[in-house]
Amino acid sequence: MSDDHTHVQEFFGSRAADWDRRFPDDGPAYAAAVARLGLREGDRVLDAGCGTGRALPPLRAAVGRSGLVVGADLTPAMLEAAVRAGRDREGRLLLTDVAALPLRSRSLDAVFAAGLVAHLPDPAGNLRELARVVRPGGVLALFHPVGRAALAARQGRQLTPDDLRAEANLRPLLAGSGWDMTAYDDEDARFLALAVRAG
Ligand SMILES: C[S@@+](CC[C@H](N)C(=O)[O-])C[C@H]1O[C@@H](n2cnc3c(N)ncnc32)[C@H](O)[C@@H]1O
């Protein structure tokens, strides 16, 4: 277990039980972001860093019962909270690091990742691993229900030019990891970057 893993598990482990209660009004924002993936009945989708599985119900609704929904997370307590909330009925939960997914190459149509990228120790390598499991033409959504500036203000920090999710940084990061960025929205009430798996 690396220091990065331990830190993530401690940080989110202590927040897991209250996670959904802290953010009770986010459901529509998650549903709207999932809609931007353009999923179809029968598609196969991964929620990377799924936490308590808040995105799993809209993902399941989008792909239907014939589709595949997988939620992957590194923090056992977050997945336990997902099970308590019944979200294991919406998708298969995997306790795993997104840096090394137990999934076949090109086996998925899309990846949804909410609140994940800022916590990755090796963003380029980890985004490349997400690209590995998605077919060419498949889609990635990097989402947060709060925009970058509003989140920084909430956390009492300044937004700096080296911020990973700034458009000027994210576009080349994605391009170097197998993804072509196709949309970028950073508003107070939402951060959403979309990318397509390069052929
Ligand atoms: C900010 S929370 C977001 C949880 C959920 N996606 C949501 O929107 O409510 C980030 C989640 O990413 C998970 N995570 C962080 N690094 C990870 C990694 N390398 N592999 C898998 N999950 C990771 C954490 O355990 C945590 O549950």
Side-chain angles (χ1 to χ4, degrees):
M1 181 70 55
S2 74
D3 284 353
D4 292 324
H5 288 185
T6 307
H7 175 74
V8 163
Q9 290 177 336
E10 285 176 2
F11 184 84
F12 289 106
S14 65
R15 288 163 174 77
D18 281 339
W19 192 257
D20 288 10
R21 269 196 296 275
R22 285 174 65 201
F23 310 109
D25 303 323
D26 284 348
Y30 276 72
V34 165
R36 295 286 301 278
L37 282 172
L39 291 167
R40 290 184 292 202
E41 183 86 23
D43 274 355
R44 303 161 73 89
V45 61
L46 167 69
D47 183 359
C50 67
T52 60
R54 296 193 291 167
L56 297 181
L59 289 171
R60 172 58 70 191
V63 303
R65 282 292 142 194
S66 66
L68 175 76
V69 177
V70 177
D73 205 285
L74 191 60
T75 305
M78 289 298 252
L79 294 179
E80 286 156 18
V83 172
R84 280 197 301 277
R87 307 234 171 86
D88 54 334
R89 290 195 293 272
E90 310 291 350
R92 208 174 122 203
L93 301 179
L94 295 179
L95 177 62
T96 182
D97 187 346
V98 299
L101 290 162
L103 298 170
R104 279 182 293 116
S105 297
R106 302 179 171 210
S107 59
L108 302 177
D109 300 289
V111 174
F112 184 81
L116 176 70
V117 278
H119 299 286
L120 296 177
D122 172 19
N126 301 156
L127 287 167
R128 215 171 293 126
E129 173 66 354
L130 296 180
R132 180 187 68 77
V133 298
V134 172
R135 64 167 171 80
V139 187
L140 169 71
L142 301 178
F143 172 67
H144 200 289
V146 181
R148 289 189 312 127
L151 187 65
R154 185 198 279 179
Q155 295 173 342
R157 59 179 171 84
Q158 297 284 329
L159 257 190
T160 57
D162 62 350
D163 183 68
L164 184 78
R165 293 186 300 140
E167 186 170 7
N169 300 331
L170 189 59
R171 186 179 294 279
L173 174 66
L174 285 166
S177 311
W179 298 99
D180 294 331
M181 197 162 89
T182 54
Y184 182 91
D185 294 320
D186 182 19
E187 303 153 12
D188 273 0
R190 164 179 88 162
F191 174 88
L192 181 66
L194 298 175
V196 172
R197 173 76 172 97

